[in-house]
Amino acid sequence: MVIDLCLDDEIEKKIEIKEDFKIILEEGQIKLNDYRMLNSYEFINDILIEFYLNDWYTKKLNKEDRERTYVFNTYFYTALAKSFNASDYPAHYTASQIRHKQVKRWTKYVDIFQKDFVFIPVNESNHWFLAVICFPYLSGKVNMNDGTPVNEPDDDAGGYPWPRITYSAVRDRSEADPNDEDLRLFDMASRENLSKKQGLDYETDAEGTKIFRRIQVKRPCILVLDSYSGGVNRARITATLRGWLEQEYFVKHPGQKKDFSPEAIKGAALRVPQQPNNKDCGLFMIHFVEMFFKRPIVDYTFPIRHLENWFSVDEVVLNCRKRKELQCVILNKMEEKRSTMPEEIELPILDIDYML
């Protein structure tokens, strides 16, 4: 009798692949393969990111903050910026109108102009970062304490001018022209600039900001928080989101007028803690979301400088701390649902299981 070992190997491989796609947790549709991405050498994927953010939003965020916050899922920006054929739409449609039409259903049951913060996860070239639309209902700067209009000027110190750039679209995307942005303010998060760290910690920097700035303000703006700063390239994202925001307002508030120019709703890439490796971008992104409420921005006058020392990178990477947090959320949820699981699930041992 001759045993075809190659055939046995193929069967075993097919069984392994089938096991990889076995759902271990119905909530979030987490599969065995998703769970393996918690290993320290892996990038966490959109499934894990959405699961963690949903758990954070429903369990850790208080009711008041939930009511003033909206979190898009990880596919929203990809759908918004998806390439299109203009000939498929009426001739009078602008690019921003077409982009808005591609995602119109996403906000069918929500008015984001009633929210203080709109969080938008963005993935570009396998790198995760965060865009946040802040106070979209405002028409200018107001006093953070009493809401009265103020005219506190922004400070260009530390910014530097950029020439117009040659815009090349990201494959499979159709985004707005970044040259429409205020690049002087936007590019304060270049890696060269970030290397010149100043300040001590968030508490000290935030308190110093309150003392230095006569009045703390809030304003409509679009912020980019990137743990591996892309600088000027992120101008495409703020320009695209501003165009979408304008179209969304026209649909939800017909007949009303609002200024959506780059001067009225500025975009800025903030100086934030940077990842020490090339694989933890997703973990830093979800940590940014959490820190937005734990250690909030105390003044929205540009440039916003007090997030450079927002948190220690050890909060994310030391002994894979953030990966373990995510693992605990999954395991706790599995324990809650154990009685409804059809069978016992054997989870693989991860390298983070050995880290104290």
Side-chain angles (χ1 to χ4, degrees):
M1 179 178 179
V2 178
I3 300 176
D4 190 340
L5 296 179
C6 291
L7 184 59
D8 285 348
D9 289 343
E10 288 181 11
I11 293 173
E12 186 174 338
K13 186 175 293 185
K14 288 180 180 179
I15 292 174
E16 288 179 0
I17 293 174
K18 185 177 180 180
E19 283 293 305
D20 280 346
F21 288 92
K22 183 177 183 178
I23 293 177
I24 63 173
L25 186 60
E26 289 289 345
E27 185 174 331
Q29 292 291 293
I30 296 179
K31 303 177 181 65
L32 204 59
N33 188 54
D34 300 320
Y35 185 79
R36 287 197 179 96
M37 290 184 177
L38 291 172
N39 278 307
S40 64
Y41 50 84
E42 297 278 9
F43 290 86
I44 65 169
N45 64 4
D46 56 336
I47 299 295
L48 295 176
I49 288 171
E50 285 195 21
F51 176 78
Y52 186 88
L53 288 179
N54 183 64
D55 184 81
W56 163 81
Y57 181 84
T58 56
K59 291 185 176 180
K60 297 181 180 179
L61 205 58
N62 63 48
K63 182 181 179 182
E64 180 182 352
D65 285 336
R66 283 199 303 271
E67 290 177 348
R68 67 192 188 108
T69 301
Y70 192 77
V71 184
F72 277 108
N73 75 21
T74 54
Y75 187 63
F76 172 76
Y77 188 81
T78 301
L80 172 66
K82 183 180 179 181
S83 61
F84 56 82
N85 187 344
S87 63
D88 293 336
Y89 297 87
H92 65 277
Y93 269 39
T94 64
S96 61
Q97 285 176 314
I98 294 174
R99 282 191 287 266
H100 179 267
K101 193 172 181 63
Q102 292 183 146
V103 295
K104 186 177 179 180
R105 64 181 179 83
W106 293 65
T107 53
K108 185 176 181 180
Y109 301 109
V110 63
D111 184 355
I112 63 166
F113 294 95
Q114 295 180 356
K115 305 295 182 180
D116 283 350
F117 306 114
V118 180
F119 292 96
I120 304 167
V122 181
N123 185 284
E124 185 174 275
S125 302
N126 295 319
H127 174 65
W128 289 102
F129 57 96
L130 183 69
V132 189
I133 299 174
C134 304
F135 313 109
Y137 52 85
L138 291 178
S139 296
K141 296 177 186 175
V142 300
N143 189 306
M144 188 172 282
N145 296 317
D146 59 23
T148 56
V150 296
N151 191 29
E152 289 293 299
D154 288 318
D155 176 14
D156 275 351
Y160 38 91
W162 278 82
R164 288 181 63 84
I165 61 176
T166 301
Y167 172 52
S168 57
V170 177
R171 187 173 61 181
D172 299 328
R173 285 189 179 179
S174 175
E175 297 172 293
D177 187 344
N179 289 301
D180 292 336
E181 290 293 270
D182 185 345
L183 298 183
R184 182 177 179 83
L185 280 173
F186 187 87
D187 196 48
M188 291 183 296
S190 72
R191 297 197 69 76
E192 178 185 356
N193 217 354
L194 277 164
S195 66
K196 303 171 183 176
K197 291 195 67 173
Q198 297 178 353
L200 300 172
D201 52 52
Y202 164 79
E203 287 75 17
T204 303
D205 292 347
E207 191 59 35
T209 296
K210 291 179 181 179
I211 295 172
F212 178 74
R213 297 266 167 77
R214 186 172 61 88
I215 299 175
Q216 286 81 60
V217 306
K218 58 184 181 181
R219 52 135 31 106
C221 58
I222 304 173
L223 307 179
V224 174
L225 287 70
D226 188 349
S227 60
Y228 197 82
S229 177
V232 69
N233 293 327
R234 301 301 179 233
R236 287 182 285 99
I237 281 77
T238 56
T240 301
L241 288 174
R242 186 181 295 101
W244 166 76
L245 199 61
E246 181 176 23
Q247 298 303 321
E248 181 72 5
Y249 186 81
F250 291 158
V251 170
K252 290 291 174 64
H253 302 274
Q256 299 185 37
K257 294 183 178 181
K258 183 175 172 63
D259 186 359
F260 286 91
S261 67
E263 292 73 30
I265 303 180
K266 289 189 175 182
L270 304 189
R271 294 187 181 188
V272 291
Q274 299 288 282
Q275 64 191 78
N277 53 49
N278 64 355
K279 61 185 181 301
D280 284 342
C281 52
L283 298 165
F284 271 78
M285 186 186 72
I286 60 179
H287 202 61
F288 288 154
V289 176
E290 291 180 288
M291 291 300 103
F292 217 84
F293 294 91
K294 287 184 178 179
R295 299 166 193 166
I297 295 174
V298 299
D299 179 52
Y300 285 81
T301 304
F302 285 176
I304 299 171
R305 299 185 185 279
H306 57 282
L307 300 190
E308 185 178 356
N309 303 288
W310 209 5
F311 56 84
S312 166
V313 296
D314 285 349
E315 293 181 25
V316 179
V317 302
L318 182 63
N319 294 327
C320 295
R321 184 177 298 178
K322 203 68 184 180
R323 290 178 186 269
K324 288 182 178 180
E325 284 183 29
L326 182 46
Q327 181 190 36
C328 284
V329 174
I330 293 173
L331 294 179
N332 289 339
K333 184 65 67 173
M334 288 182 68
E335 186 63 31
E336 290 177 15
K337 304 293 183 181
R338 185 174 297 277
S339 61
T340 62
M341 298 296 287
E343 58 182 292
E344 188 72 19
I345 295 175
E346 184 176 347
L347 294 176
I349 296 176
L350 307 176
D351 64 352
I352 64 173
D353 292 328
Y354 297 102
M355 298 179 185
L356 300 177

